[in-house]
Amino acid sequence: IQELAAQIGNPQQHFKSLHIAGTNGKGSSSHFMASILQESGYRVGLYTSPHLKSFTERIKVNGNEVTKEWVVAFFLKHQGLISEIRPSFFEWTVLMAFAYFQEQGVDYAIIETGLGGRLDSTNIIEPIATYITNIGYDHQDILGETLPEIATEKAGIIKRHIPILISERQEEIEEVFKSTAHACEA
């Protein structure tokens, strides 16, 4: 994802972002934050996954989905890059969202992780704040078997000197977030 983003000018560096990870509540929290910012007069991008009915649901600006025509044009423009680097579907989708948000001149983008956080394609952003919803047993084949293992992966979005908010106190994993935040001076 870093190579892909670099090849098209690092679009993720051209807007402020908020990064959201967790097991449950990511989508609702993302939509709430986007709505609050939009109602405050900002132009707001929203990237969520997965989609329910249409791919274009994943990428929105001020509540309006990216057009299918824009998606096709973006894909055709960057076909060579796709063939060369062979990104995953999720990597390509994330890059597409970042490029769209830059093109649309958003003030803020709310970026929801796909799964995990530490190795998630969205984790190339440098957000102004991060937010982690509750943690449950999801994607155990990738993230780990225990809640602390899963929380450690989700905590991977915590960045040095960037504020972090945890939505729900879960005693079993509280120390994972505290120690990661402390280590990052977040």
Side-chain angles (χ1 to χ4, degrees), residues 128-148:
I128 61 169
T130 52
Y131 180 65
I132 300 176
T133 65
N134 76 325
I135 304 300
Y137 292 98
D138 67 328
H139 304 288
Q140 289 175 274
D141 56 324
I142 297 169
L143 303 179
E145 292 295 318
T146 68
L147 283 183

Side-chain angles (χ1 to χ4, degrees), residues 15-151:
F15 49 83
K16 295 175 185 167
S17 58
L18 301 171
H19 206 187
I20 301 176
T23 301
N24 295 306
K26 288 185 305 196
S28 298
S29 297
S30 296
H31 282 85
F32 290 146
M33 287 183 195
S35 179
I36 290 167
L37 287 168
Q38 185 179 337
E39 289 297 317
S40 297
Y42 295 104
R43 188 162 177 78
V44 182
L46 175 63
Y47 176 74
T48 58
S49 67
H51 59 274
L52 299 176
K53 295 180 182 177
S54 170
F55 172 81
T56 58
E57 294 169 27
R58 293 172 177 252
I59 304 169
K60 297 178 183 177
V61 172
N62 281 6
N64 298 309
E65 296 177 13
V66 63
T67 66
K68 291 177 183 176
E69 293 77 17
W70 190 93
V71 171
V72 170
F74 185 80
F75 179 80
L76 292 174
K77 178 180 179 181
H78 298 289
Q79 236 175 333
L81 185 59
I82 294 171
S83 296
E84 178 188 334
I85 296 180
R86 303 179 56 81
S88 69
F89 172 79
F90 190 75
E91 289 169 330
W92 193 246
T93 302
V94 167
L95 185 68
M96 184 180 295
F98 293 167
Y100 188 67
F101 296 155
Q102 179 188 9
E103 182 182 297
Q104 294 294 306
V106 301
D107 299 304
Y108 293 95
I110 311 303
I111 309 296
E112 179 186 313
T113 62
L115 63 88
R118 183 176 64 92
L119 298 176
D120 195 85
S121 298
T122 63
N123 206 20
I124 65 168
I125 61 174
E126 294 181 31
I128 61 169
T130 52
Y131 180 65
I132 300 176
T133 65
N134 76 325
I135 304 300
Y137 292 98
D138 67 328
H139 304 288
Q140 289 175 274
D141 56 324
I142 297 169
L143 303 179
E145 292 295 318
T146 68
L147 283 183
E149 289 172 340
I150 294 167

